[in-house]
Amino acid sequence: MKDLIRIRDLTVRFYTYEGVVYAIDDLDLDIRQGETLGIVGETGSGKSMTALAILRLIPYPGKIESGSIVFCDKDSGGELELLKLREDRMRAIRGNKISMVFQEPGAALNPVYTIGDQISEVLLLHRRHELAYRAKQRVDNLLSDGSGFASAAKRPFRQWQSRLYHKIGEEPHALEPRILNRIPLFRRLLWRLKDEAASLTVDMLKGVEISDAARVAIHYPHELSGGMKQRAVIAMALACSPELLIADEPTTSLDVTIQAQMLELFRRIKVDRGASVLFITHNLGVASEVCDRVAVMYAGRLCEVGSVEEMFLHPSHPYTRALLDAVPMPGKELQTIPGALADALNPPPGCRFHPRCPSATPICQQERPKLKTVAKDHMVACYLF
Amino acid sequence: MSDWKFMARQLVKNPLSLAGLVIIAIFIIIAIFAPLIAPTPEGHRSPYMIPRDGYSATPQPPSEEHIFGTTQGQYDIFYGVIWGTRSAFRVALVVMSITVLIGIVLGSLAGYFGGVIDEVIMRVTDIFLAFPALILAMAIVSAIGPSLKSVMIALTVVWWPSYARLIRGDILQVREEDYVEAARGLGASSARVIVRHVLPNAIYPSLIMASLDIGAVVLSAAALSFLGLGAPEGYCDWGQMTEFARNWMVGPPGDPFKYWYAVITPGVFILFFVLGWNLLGDAFRDIFDPRLARR
């Protein structure tokens, strides 16, 4: 399978008052086309930062120090170095080619706009030409089969409208429509753009299994349940059919039955749309449900990455094994991992996990283990192998 | 429920807000129909100059000809307070809208981008806030010459820093929200994020404060006029009319309330105007407060 995203030597640091935090340290990770890659790890292990680094949205005072993130665009076939892209080109990728679903669906929706408005906004940002094309067709239809006095009177306006939509379709940021859009009365000429966006929005909401989509679209976020909101957020992320959907703990704040529905939804998205999904979670059960491959991160570094079967049947890294033991099971006493997550300000030298590792050797304290292939589609960074 | 219905219900639910709305509505009607309520005498040079009936200094009590009486210099009080409503609205709305506009622009730049921009803008506001407001306003008016326009300029200069600061604070809070991050993650530009996602969630406290402050602006403008730094003599302005009455607050011995009409009438208009805006400000808070979920 071809790669969609290739992350190499990615290093992200936070320059805080107390010192430099190593959020991500020399990370190598590939996301293949059409797969669901899960990133598993404790809080603070750098999962979310990896996602934000791909979108280049690392918050202040964080900085991407070095490395490269190459995005292989399926449509154009070109390879883009995301970290070197100009900001406006990057904006055209966010939400369009790569989009993100946030952890807390309630917080990710703006409370002052309806669900429909917010999804329309994404469409109006990235799919202007498409909307304009559809609007133009609609106007042209009215022009061709209209008869009678009313339509004759509207004719010149409709012709103008059609010409404007054509212009937007050719060049989404053409000057004339942009100026008109700023003038209150003339703005009305472009209402069909919003109309088309609204009707597409309803389709989107239907696509994430909201049955009364038209009604939900006119509701404000606080009027919906958590599961509904998460569906709406997913619909928003999928609005422009992205090639990569990043889901940052999308099921954490939902109850178990809704979680199951969401996982089903994510599975369907992958199959129906052929999009890749980067699924960030700390729940191993969830990861085993939806992912094709799983990467385990600890303290900003990759410990182990491999296919789901390999990872769950032959977990190799001591941290992965400890994580799997820490999953609560009925009739079995819960195993916890001794010690606390490595201090990000003063990370231990060598392998970051060695202070908590049951099988640590002297070399673990000195040198950082490299990723080694232990089986087909299975790599581990540990001196045991 | 539609927004308008919701607003109407919030207004009616609280009788005090309704009172504020009624007071302001009455003032708006007075301002609009001023030419009908107090027609300008024919041949008068400007409708905003109070017609006078002689040059005697002593105020004259209400009579058929001057229903609220005349103040010092025989200016007609009724005409003055009615047309003074227009001046009050003009000063209040112009000062407040420019103030809020400057506050929004500078406050959002400072709050959203932070860093050096924030530092520069906030230190400038600190400098402005370090001056006693009324003294600074007086200095500005004296420097550019007393007139209603300079009063407006002076009040704007004095007032904008507190709004820039208030809006900055609210924006600092909102910009950390997930939906702002989400909007950026969906490819919105900084300008778009500020205008569409941050401001609508950060602006209400400032709007509420603005409606409360409109009363304060009118009071300050009246204070400047009272100090003789406002409109030219004879201009329809409540502050100036209280200034005319300054020497007549206490009547001759034995009849201290002889000239009450010269003091009370413009005073009552100022009082109700300020009161009306304050009550309406509370009403706006009830309506706009996002924490009051619309159910």
Side-chain angles (χ1 to χ4, degrees):
Chain A
M1 245 188 294
K2 274 184 70 185
D3 289 339
L4 181 71
I5 295 266
R6 247 195 325 265
I7 304 174
R8 289 286 174 271
D9 306 324
L10 180 70
T11 301
V12 175
R13 290 183 197 153
F14 277 70
Y15 293 90
T16 64
Y17 182 71
E18 288 101 45
V20 182
V21 175
Y22 290 77
I24 301 175
D25 198 12
D26 268 340
L27 179 78
D28 289 356
L29 193 63
D30 298 332
I31 304 170
R32 297 172 191 163
Q33 288 186 356
E35 76 165 356
T36 301
L37 173 69
I39 300 186
V40 183
E42 286 171 70
T43 311
S45 59
K47 303 169 294 193
S48 300
M49 282 306 138
T50 310
L52 291 176
I54 294 173
L55 284 169
R56 251 176 56 188
L57 285 174
I58 298 282
Y60 181 84
K63 244 183 98 182
I64 299 176
E65 285 292 315
S66 58
S68 82
I69 300 176
V70 174
F71 173 62
C72 311
D73 197 335
K74 212 172 8 177
D75 299 338
S76 64
E79 297 200 347
L80 294 169
E81 169 55 85
L82 293 183
L83 297 184
K84 295 206 175 84
L85 228 49
R86 258 182 25 220
E87 180 59 26
D88 58 332
R89 303 253 336 255
M90 194 65 216
R91 276 209 303 270
I93 285 179
R94 289 184 201 133
N96 190 14
K97 304 269 184 199
I98 304 175
S99 67
M100 185 152 175
V101 174
F102 286 83
Q103 177 174 0
E104 191 74 54
L109 290 166
N110 193 332
V112 300
Y113 297 111
T114 60
I115 302 291
D117 279 349
Q118 298 188 47
I119 300 176
S120 300
E121 189 189 354
V122 187
L123 291 168
L124 285 166
L125 264 175
H126 296 297
R127 286 282 179 269
R128 235 182 150 71
H129 50 285
E130 218 167 275
L131 295 173
Y133 179 70
R134 288 168 66 124
K136 180 179 184 302
Q137 270 195 328
R138 222 159 266 195
V139 178
D140 288 347
N141 282 349
L142 283 173
L143 273 173
S144 58
D145 52 54
S147 59
F149 178 72
S151 90
K154 283 183 187 157
R155 207 175 166 76
F157 291 103
R158 286 195 174 140
Q159 274 165 346
W160 191 12
Q161 260 186 325
S162 165
R163 206 166 51 83
L164 280 175
Y165 289 133
H166 181 72
K167 253 188 194 162
I168 299 173
E170 297 283 296
E171 166 57 50
H173 298 288
L175 197 60
E176 190 185 342
R178 245 169 75 190
I179 293 173
L180 286 177
N181 200 23
R182 292 272 168 262
I183 307 170
L185 218 59
F186 290 107
R187 195 180 291 166
R188 303 271 306 160
L189 282 169
L190 298 171
W191 66 275
R192 274 173 208 279
L193 273 188
K194 280 191 179 158
D195 224 41
E196 292 297 332
S199 81
L200 272 182
T201 297
V202 174
D203 292 346
M204 291 287 153
L205 288 172
K206 281 194 187 127
V208 291
E209 290 156 5
I210 294 177
S211 45
D212 47 352
R215 200 177 58 82
V216 168
I218 57 166
H219 277 314
Y220 287 91
H222 69 259
E223 295 169 317
L224 301 178
S225 66
M228 260 334 183
K229 273 187 268 195
Q230 190 61 287
R231 282 166 203 271
V233 172
I234 294 171
M236 193 161 34
L238 290 176
C240 296
S241 316
E243 292 175 33
L244 175 64
L245 178 68
I246 300 172
D248 188 358
E249 307 200 19
T251 58
T252 309
S253 61
L254 304 172
D255 63 57
V256 186
T257 44
I258 307 290
Q259 271 191 23
Q261 293 174 12
M262 286 299 142
L263 298 183
E264 187 53 44
L265 184 62
F266 274 105
R267 234 188 329 240
R268 240 201 49 216
I269 288 164
K270 191 186 70 181
V271 175
D272 291 358
R273 298 170 179 260
S276 303
V277 180
L278 179 63
F279 201 96
I280 297 168
T281 180
H282 55 242
N283 188 333
L284 288 165
V286 168
S288 70
E289 279 287 310
V290 285
C291 299
D292 302 317
R293 290 198 310 143
V294 176
V296 177
M297 282 183 81
Y298 182 79
R301 284 188 190 161
L302 195 61
C303 299
E304 186 169 5
V305 57
S307 64
V308 138
E309 297 83 16
E310 273 288 322
M311 293 294 277
F312 283 88
L313 296 177
H314 312 292
S316 301
H317 197 283
Y319 179 61
T320 316
R321 275 185 270 172
L323 268 185
L324 285 169
D325 284 340
V327 175
M329 298 260 231
K332 200 181 117 202
E333 202 181 321
L334 187 67
Q335 298 285 311
T336 54
I337 308 174
L341 182 67
D343 182 3
L345 281 170
N346 301 299
C351 173
R352 293 237 168 122
F353 188 59
H354 82 258
R356 302 168 78 182
C357 183
S359 39
T361 54
I363 193 163
C364 297
Q365 300 173 20
Q366 286 151 22
E367 237 175 283
R368 175 182 176 171
K370 294 210 162 49
L371 273 176
K372 275 173 280 202
T373 308
V374 290
K376 184 176 174 287
D377 213 358
H378 190 174
M379 291 201 286
V380 186
C382 183
Y383 284 116
L384 290 176
F385 301 93
Chain B
M1 186 170 22
S2 81
D3 288 3
W4 290 107
K5 251 192 198 159
F6 175 82
M7 279 190 199
R9 216 178 61 171
Q10 285 290 333
L11 267 180
V12 177
K13 226 164 53 180
N14 186 349
L16 275 180
S17 357
L18 193 63
L21 189 71
V22 169
I23 293 173
I24 296 304
I26 291 173
F27 274 114
I28 290 173
I29 291 168
I30 291 176
I32 291 172
F33 295 106
L36 298 177
I37 302 169
T40 313
E42 245 171 83
H44 201 57
R45 56 195 165 113
S46 155
Y48 287 100
M49 300 305 282
I50 312 174
R52 60 199 302 187
D53 192 9
Y55 292 89
S56 151
T58 326
Q60 296 298 316
S63 62
E64 217 159 274
E65 203 180 337
H66 307 287
I67 52 171
F68 284 178
T70 60
T71 186
Q72 174 181 300
Q74 302 311 311
Y75 290 106
D76 184 46
I77 293 178
F78 180 71
Y79 189 92
V81 290
I82 295 296
W83 284 82
T85 313
R86 286 193 171 191
S87 316
F89 270 114
R90 196 162 76 214
V91 172
L93 296 182
V94 168
V95 170
M96 228 45 264
S97 45
I98 297 178
T99 301
V100 172
L101 198 71
I102 297 175
I104 286 174
V105 172
L106 293 182
S108 13
L109 287 179
Y112 187 80
F113 291 107
V116 182
I117 303 174
D118 185 26
E119 220 35 55
V120 170
I121 294 176
M122 281 304 111
R123 293 304 76 80
V124 173
T125 64
D126 281 349
I127 292 170
F128 275 93
L129 287 170
F131 288 99
L134 202 61
I135 309 285
L136 179 60
M138 278 167 65
I140 294 168
V141 177
S142 320
I144 47 184
S147 76
L148 212 58
K149 204 194 274 171
S150 16
V151 168
M152 290 195 257
I153 293 171
L155 288 178
T156 312
V157 170
V158 170
W159 231 287
W160 71 265
S162 49
Y163 279 85
R165 204 179 240 194
L166 180 72
I167 290 168
R168 169 185 172 267
D170 289 317
I171 283 189
L172 279 181
Q173 192 189 349
V174 173
R175 82 162 180 193
E176 300 299 329
E177 298 280 349
D178 276 2
Y179 53 79
V180 174
E181 185 79 9
R184 291 202 290 143
L186 292 170
S189 61
S190 292
R192 195 180 178 90
V193 170
I194 292 177
V195 174
R196 287 262 314 174
H197 294 277
V198 178
L199 270 181
N201 285 291
I203 204 173
Y204 287 122
S206 315
L207 292 186
I208 291 159
M209 186 159 124
S211 77
L212 290 168
D213 259 4
I214 283 183
V217 167
V218 172
L219 273 185
S220 305
L224 286 175
S225 291
F226 187 78
L227 295 168
L229 288 168
E233 196 189 323
Y235 197 86
C236 294
D237 177 74
W238 297 337
Q240 196 189 45
M241 297 180 70
T242 50
E243 200 249 319
F244 284 149
R246 193 170 55 187
N247 295 331
W248 311 96
M249 283 182 188
V250 184
D255 190 5
F257 300 118
K258 190 174 177 200
Y259 306 113
W260 63 271
Y261 43 85
V263 186
I264 297 285
T265 321
V268 163
F269 270 73
I270 295 175
L271 172 78
F272 274 99
F273 195 80
V274 176
L275 183 69
W277 280 110
N278 281 348
L279 296 178
L280 203 62
D282 283 343
F284 281 148
R285 195 188 52 211
D286 291 348
I287 293 169
F288 289 137
D289 195 334
R291 278 173 287 271
L292 294 171
R294 304 178 173 195
R295 292 181 210 285

